[in-house]
Amino acid sequence: MPTLSIPARVARKVRGYAGKVGRLTRSLSATQAKPDDRWACSWLTPPERRVYLGMDARDRDHACRVTRHLLRDHPAAAPDLVAAALLHDCGKSVRPYRVAERVLVGVVPNRLARLVPLGPLAVRAYHPELGAELLARAGARSRVARLVARHHHAGGDPDAALLHHYDDLE
């Protein structure tokens, strides 16, 4: 992704925070989640489907929105990137969140969560690595697991940077 000007970076941050507020609001009640599981599973291998279906409905709903936005702008996205978009938060499934914890992890920035990795904050901070490990153990495609691991820290990988961008917007 090209280097952005300061106003463009500020605008991106504002959109990102607006997305986080919307996601936090939607995450307070599982009954509001309406993931399109049939559509999502059509992009996944059988082992990846098992991991996806093990995610909380709210996280699956978020994953479907991220993926649809990605595909809207990049209709020819590689299948591994699409699968990673659907699975990018699967690491959060290792520990269910209570409502108060969802609020907590929603308002604490990831960098701070890495400094205070306790309970739900630890899952929040390390969910990319936890998800990649979960996917590797399940037998998912290795590229999908690597993209999930890097979706918050792209490290020069253009696909991981795209995934981070659309996750941040949603």
Side-chain angles (χ1 to χ4, degrees):
M1 300 197 100
T3 304
L4 299 174
S5 68
I6 290 174
R9 278 187 270 166
V10 169
R12 180 175 179 219
K13 282 289 184 189
V14 167
R15 284 192 311 271
Y17 284 119
K20 285 178 183 15
V21 168
R23 183 178 353 167
L24 177 60
T25 302
R26 286 188 301 272
S27 76
L28 296 179
S29 172
T31 60
Q32 293 181 17
K34 306 283 188 245
D36 189 348
D37 293 336
R38 180 177 289 182
W39 172 80
C41 286
S42 73
W43 289 96
L44 303 171
T45 65
E48 294 163 355
R49 279 184 209 122
R50 285 191 295 278
V51 172
Y52 171 83
L53 293 171
M55 294 166 57
D56 184 280
R58 292 165 282 201
D59 293 328
R60 294 194 323 268
D61 189 50
H62 162 69
C64 287
R65 284 193 308 278
V66 168
T67 307
R68 287 191 189 279
H69 290 147
L70 171 78
L71 286 169
R72 176 196 63 213
D73 296 343
H74 302 276
D80 289 353
L81 175 58
V82 175
L86 289 165
L87 293 162
H88 73 276
D89 281 343
C90 70
K92 293 178 180 178
S93 67
V94 301
R95 181 188 186 280
Y97 292 129
R98 296 179 194 95
V99 172
E101 292 172 338
R102 282 190 172 273
V103 172
L104 175 68
V105 300
V107 298
V108 174
N110 198 43
R111 288 181 183 156
L112 180 58
R114 283 186 175 267
L115 294 175
V116 189
L118 302 170
L121 289 178
V123 174
R124 163 74 168 97
Y126 295 102
H127 77 273
E129 296 89 348
L130 293 168
E133 186 176 324
L134 183 64
L135 289 166
R137 283 193 201 151
R141 292 169 276 183
S142 59
R143 176 76 176 140
V144 172
R146 279 195 309 275
L147 286 168
V148 167
R150 300 177 85 182
H151 82 270
H152 279 291
H153 305 285
D157 182 324
D159 284 344
L162 268 178
L163 181 52
H164 175 73
H165 172 75
Y166 285 96
D167 182 31
D168 209 31
L169 290 178
E170 174 48 46

